[in-house]
Amino acid sequence: KLFIIDKSLIMELIVNDNMLSELGKKFMTLKSASGTHSPSMLTILEKIPDLKIKVDACFLSNPYATDLFLEYFNNELLKSKKISRVLEFYPSQNSVIADLLGEHLGINPKKIFVCNGAIEAIQAVMHQFVKGKVVINIPTFSSYYEFINKDSEAVFYTLEKENTFILDPDNYISFVKKIKPNSIVIINPNNPDGGYIKYRDLKRIVEELHGIVENIIVDESFIHFAFENSDLELKSIIQLTDEVSNLIIIKSMSKDFGIAGIRAGYAVMDEEKVEQLTSNGYLWNLNGLAEYFFRLYTRTDFRNKYEEIRKKYIIETLIFISELNKIRNIRVYPTKANFVLIEILDGRTAEEITNTLLIKYGIYVRNCSDKKGLKGQFIRLAARSASENDQVLLTFRDLFE
């Protein structure tokens, strides 16, 4: 009788193991098809319906901001049936939305390029204005070196693991002066590690290099999660575009507002550059939902509520990271974003951990094995709501301890 019980248990384990293995193969096929990016949640759910995802800790967004947007969307568009206007009529041209943003940001609207997600701004800037050598820090968001022209050359400045991937301003300035590139790209906070360059250091970099390079591209897509004082105030360098004509700021709205599905972003740059883009195919590049978001974004009532949940989310993220730091067999790198870069120290690979988290525990994280500049086994983990963070912590303690 005991033998029969043991045999059934063994058979169950074998069946479960085979099922996990098959799901893992299907996921790796999707990941391979996505190149250097992660397959979307919708794609995973469609292609692997047997996979049960409990926490999406791969997508980098504030879930409370998504809820806030949906509250307004439901009350103002769905219940009132005004959604028909958004769907039936053409959205406004780029310049109309730029006027709204300009007043809100305190920036000349003629310097604002509104785009269909930050990725459109990245592609437009890298194709249109970056020539010759471009210095790009690694590890970083891969699209910046994937989108350069064929006649351009990416020169990589490696952020050292020994320095916890934090950029050294003096060393960086010396490197750029030696290379003498056409352009430089800085993401602040950086992706995938969340490394943050303080305002005074980034300002010094911009001021010292603006006469040496033609384009200084700073991506501030995660700036709403960074802070330098106890009031959690963000420090953007967007106002420096008034003083430094070759400074280009790129801003995604997907991360801080959790609305990646409607594709909204903007860039701030010299008026001539904006004119060049809008007169060459980017005149009418937003959809009606994105316009609704931008109009909502500039409203005082929405911004006040958003500011409350922004700070709430940052505090919960800090608590989450503090607890992660207590877990053995992993190393959590310093971050000022809503995610952490984690190094696996127990001998298992990032692929093994990623697949186990996804298939066994239902937690989706980013495998960073394909990131240039990372030597070792790394995953990227996003902070979510407090309850989801608790699920992740329980899972990590089970998996690593």
Side-chain angles (χ1 to χ4, degrees), residues 285-316:
N285 55 337
L286 289 191
N287 61 64
L289 288 175
E291 178 175 2
Y292 169 73
F293 167 76
F294 275 119
R295 290 184 178 276
L296 186 62
Y297 170 68
T298 60
R299 283 166 42 181
T300 303
D301 59 325
F302 178 80
R303 288 290 296 178
N304 288 341
K305 290 182 179 180
Y306 166 72
E307 190 62 16
E308 289 179 11
I309 61 173
R310 182 184 74 87
K311 292 182 178 180
K312 171 189 175 183
Y313 179 59
I314 289 175
I315 291 170
E316 289 183 359

Side-chain angles (χ1 to χ4, degrees), residues 233-252:
E233 293 176 344
L234 63 91
K235 294 282 288 185
S236 168
I237 65 164
I238 193 171
Q239 301 300 330
L240 285 182
T241 54
D242 289 334
E243 305 169 23
V244 184
S245 61
N246 62 343
L247 175 61
I248 300 172
I249 305 293
I250 293 177
K251 181 73 178 72
S252 165

Side-chain angles (χ1 to χ4, degrees), residues 4 44 48 65 70 72 82 124 136 186 193 218 237 248 254 257 291 323 325 346 387:
I4 293 172
I44 294 172
I48 318 177
L70 288 174
Y72 274 85
K82 290 181 180 179
I136 300 174
I186 297 173
D193 57 279
V218 178
I237 65 164
I248 300 172
S254 301
F257 291 96
E291 178 175 2
E323 291 300 312
N325 271 301
D346 65 359
S387 60

Side-chain angles (χ1 to χ4, degrees), residues 126-345:
M126 299 305 285
H127 282 184
Q128 299 288 334
F129 310 126
V130 174
K131 312 294 180 184
K133 292 180 181 178
V134 51
V135 171
I136 300 174
N137 303 331
I138 53 172
T140 199
F141 184 49
S142 61
S143 292
Y144 278 102
Y145 50 80
E146 291 171 344
F147 285 171
I148 62 173
N149 291 305
K150 292 181 179 180
D151 58 349
S152 297
E153 175 191 358
V155 179
F156 295 121
Y157 176 84
T158 303
L159 302 170
E160 300 294 341
K161 182 170 77 170
E162 292 70 23
N163 197 33
T164 63
F165 302 105
I166 301 299
L167 184 142
D168 181 322
D170 293 323
N171 187 273
Y172 179 77
I173 290 171
S174 298
F175 181 85
V176 173
K177 287 181 176 179
K178 179 181 178 181
I179 298 297
K180 296 178 181 178
N182 165 269
S183 306
I184 61 173
V185 174
I186 297 173
I187 300 181
N188 192 44
N190 190 40
N191 179 9
D193 57 279
Y196 178 68
I197 307 169
K198 291 183 178 179
Y199 177 85
R200 67 173 184 271
D201 291 330
L202 188 53
K203 185 173 183 287
R204 181 163 69 89
I205 290 171
V206 170
E207 291 175 342
E208 287 204 31
L209 297 179
H210 84 277
I212 296 174
V213 300
E214 290 185 28
N215 301 295
I216 300 174
I217 303 162
V218 178
D219 188 321
E220 290 193 330
S221 291
F222 298 97
I223 199 67
H224 280 212
F225 306 119
F227 57 92
E228 295 189 12
N229 60 29
S230 58
D231 291 330
L232 306 181
E233 293 176 344
L234 63 91
K235 294 282 288 185
S236 168
I237 65 164
I238 193 171
Q239 301 300 330
L240 285 182
T241 54
D242 289 334
E243 305 169 23
V244 184
S245 61
N246 62 343
L247 175 61
I248 300 172
I249 305 293
I250 293 177
K251 181 73 178 72
S252 165
M253 311 305 285
S254 301
K255 284 72 178 176
D256 34 19
F257 291 96
I259 40 89
I262 68 175
R263 314 306 300 132
Y266 66 84
V268 179
M269 63 189 82
D270 185 71
E271 288 183 38
E272 292 183 4
K273 288 186 172 71
V274 174
E275 173 62 26
Q276 183 175 333
L277 293 177
T278 54
S279 61
N280 284 280
Y282 294 102
L283 179 63
W284 232 319
N285 55 337
L286 289 191
N287 61 64
L289 288 175
E291 178 175 2
Y292 169 73
F293 167 76
F294 275 119
R295 290 184 178 276
L296 186 62
Y297 170 68
T298 60
R299 283 166 42 181
T300 303
D301 59 325
F302 178 80
R303 288 290 296 178
N304 288 341
K305 290 182 179 180
Y306 166 72
E307 190 62 16
E308 289 179 11
I309 61 173
R310 182 184 74 87
K311 292 182 178 180
K312 171 189 175 183
Y313 179 59
I314 289 175
I315 291 170
E316 289 183 359
T317 298
L318 292 174
I319 294 170
F320 178 51
I321 294 171
S322 175
E323 291 300 312
L324 281 171
N325 271 301
K326 298 174 183 178
I327 297 175
R328 297 190 302 273
N329 297 314
I330 62 173
R331 183 182 183 187
V332 180
Y333 285 83
T335 178
K336 276 289 180 71
N338 66 328
F339 55 86
V340 289
L341 183 68
I342 295 176
E343 186 174 9
I344 311 301
L345 303 177

